[in-house]
Amino acid sequence: MNPLLSVRNLHKSFMVSSGRPGTTKAALRAVDGISFDIFPGETLGLVGESGCGKSTTGKLIMRLLEPDAGSISFLDQPLLELSKSQLLAARRNLQMIFQDPFSSLNPRMKIGEIVGEPLKIHRLVEPGKMRLQVTELLQTVGLSPDHADRYPHEFSGGQRQRVGIARALAVKPKLIVADEPVSALDLSIQAQIVNLLQDLQDEFKLTYLLIAHDLGVIAHLCNRVAVMYLGRIVELGPADMICATPAHPYTEALLNAVPVPDPTRRRQRLILSGEIPSPINPPSGCHFHPRCPYAKELCQNEAPKLVVEKPGHQVACHFSDEVGKYRI
């Protein structure tokens, strides 16, 4: 099967200042040479701590940001070479759900206008049939037709996120980039939105890039998982395999941080030492080596490449065969 989306050697840096007068700006490497594929009908989870480059990756794919280097191919089209008119046409099949349902909706537009705007831009519906189409979309995501005449501030966070999902769904895309779609919501609402995304995928044959830091959401929704650390992918493979037998120490640490809903159960934990290094001045060699309990001298001097550990499972670790001492 050919991939729907292919990302190759993607780089993105931002020039930032330390904030002190007279200091020169330095390059913050947000995305540092990542590569992955997404296949039709699957959900690929992109997971990692805050600041690892997940959201930047999503924005680069949408071309809301322009990369410094690398390539992005979508439906066999080189996205980075498309003109504005070509990119507009490509975005009919490539949509995004944003993290913050409070700031991603225009407060001056009614819900019906927000959901109907993509239909207008892509000229997919006659003006006289717009109301009917918007009503169907609102009902699809669990909202009432009369919500079309209300403003975003009249809704809860979960309802606003449903509006954002309806807006992304309006043009019947093939791929949706969902940037932490439940992280700003209450726990009880998160489950509803996760189930909605899953139901919509089954109904409309959608493909997702799901950006998240919650491994519970990732395990529930994703077929495959890519784990990011300081701008690099350190492990990529089937979700069930990575959750059961992680091959990278960072993935192992993330899994050990997930609470177990059983007070009688005891387990050894991998407790990471130190803070996340600065992406402005990342460690030499393997970026994770200052916090890694398996690190050796080689890790300080040579960055591991993302290589095949098992069929369909890639890992960037010199000593992946030793990982497991603290396994759940």
Side-chain angles (χ1 to χ4, degrees):
M1 184 185 297
N2 293 327
L4 184 65
L5 178 84
S6 290
V7 174
R8 292 291 179 270
N9 200 29
L10 200 63
H11 291 260
K12 180 63 179 180
S13 295
F14 299 96
M15 299 305 295
V16 297
S17 172
S18 65
R20 290 176 296 174
T23 58
T24 58
K25 291 187 176 181
L28 186 155
R29 285 177 277 185
V31 177
D32 192 11
I34 66 171
S35 300
F36 60 87
D37 294 324
I38 302 178
F39 295 91
E42 78 164 343
T43 299
L44 175 68
L46 195 57
V47 64
E49 293 171 284
S50 296
C52 72
K54 308 185 300 298
S55 294
T56 300
T57 299
K59 291 174 182 177
L60 290 171
I61 290 171
M62 294 297 301
R63 275 192 66 182
L64 299 176
L65 295 172
E66 296 296 329
D68 301 328
S71 66
I72 304 171
S73 176
F74 177 63
L75 290 174
D76 297 324
Q77 286 184 301
L79 278 185
L80 303 181
E81 299 175 16
L82 300 184
S83 64
K84 287 185 177 180
S85 59
Q86 291 172 325
L87 181 59
L88 176 62
R91 279 185 173 150
R92 179 179 173 181
N93 289 310
L94 182 62
Q95 290 289 302
M96 189 167 189
I97 300 169
F98 295 92
Q99 176 179 359
D100 187 359
F102 298 93
S103 63
S104 61
L105 304 179
N106 189 332
R108 298 183 180 181
M109 294 175 66
K110 293 181 179 180
I111 297 304
E113 295 173 316
I114 292 172
V115 174
E117 187 175 29
L119 298 171
K120 285 184 180 180
I121 292 172
H122 293 279
R123 300 176 182 178
L124 298 178
V125 64
E126 298 175 13
K129 297 181 180 178
M130 177 66 74
R131 180 75 181 199
L132 176 62
Q133 189 70 30
V134 168
T135 295
E136 290 178 356
L137 285 164
L138 291 177
Q139 290 176 324
T140 298
V141 298
L143 296 174
S144 171
D146 62 2
H147 288 161
D149 297 317
R150 296 164 63 180
Y151 288 93
H153 73 269
E154 301 178 66
F155 292 88
S156 67
Q159 288 174 319
R160 292 188 202 190
Q161 197 60 290
R162 289 176 187 268
V163 174
I165 294 170
R167 178 176 58 185
L169 200 63
V171 292
K172 299 180 180 178
K174 295 185 182 298
L175 173 65
I176 292 180
V177 177
D179 184 9
E180 303 213 37
V182 299
S183 64
L185 306 177
D186 293 339
L187 194 60
S188 59
I189 307 301
Q190 287 184 16
Q192 296 176 19
I193 298 300
V194 166
N195 290 333
L196 173 63
L197 290 172
Q198 196 167 40
D199 292 342
L200 292 175
Q201 183 175 38
D202 294 339
E203 182 176 354
F204 297 101
K205 310 303 180 187
L206 297 171
T207 303
Y208 291 136
L209 171 61
L210 179 64
I211 299 168
H213 62 266
D214 187 336
L215 282 168
V217 173
I218 290 293
H220 185 71
L221 269 179
C222 297
N223 306 101
R224 293 188 302 132
V225 178
V227 182
M228 284 190 73
Y229 185 79
L230 278 187
R232 296 176 179 175
I233 292 179
V234 297
E235 188 166 8
L236 193 158
D240 53 354
M241 181 182 294
I242 285 182
C243 289
T245 56
H248 194 280
Y250 179 60
T251 311
E252 184 183 31
L254 289 178
L255 289 167
N256 272 268
V258 177
V260 175
D262 183 355
T264 63
R265 182 178 171 185
R266 294 289 182 267
R267 66 183 183 188
Q268 265 190 310
R269 289 182 177 271
L270 173 58
I271 306 298
L272 296 182
S273 60
E275 299 292 332
I276 302 175
S278 170
I280 298 175
N281 185 26
S284 61
C286 175
H287 287 350
F288 188 61
H289 84 259
R291 306 173 72 195
C292 180
Y294 306 99
K296 298 178 175 60
E297 185 176 353
L298 175 64
C299 305
Q300 302 177 32
N301 302 318
E302 184 179 331
K305 295 180 180 180
L306 193 66
V307 298
V308 176
E309 174 81 6
K310 299 175 184 176
H313 186 188
Q314 298 172 280
V315 62
C317 180
H318 293 302
F319 304 101
S320 59
D321 56 333
E322 297 183 18
V323 175
K325 180 179 179 181
Y326 302 97
R327 185 155 298 156
I328 297 171

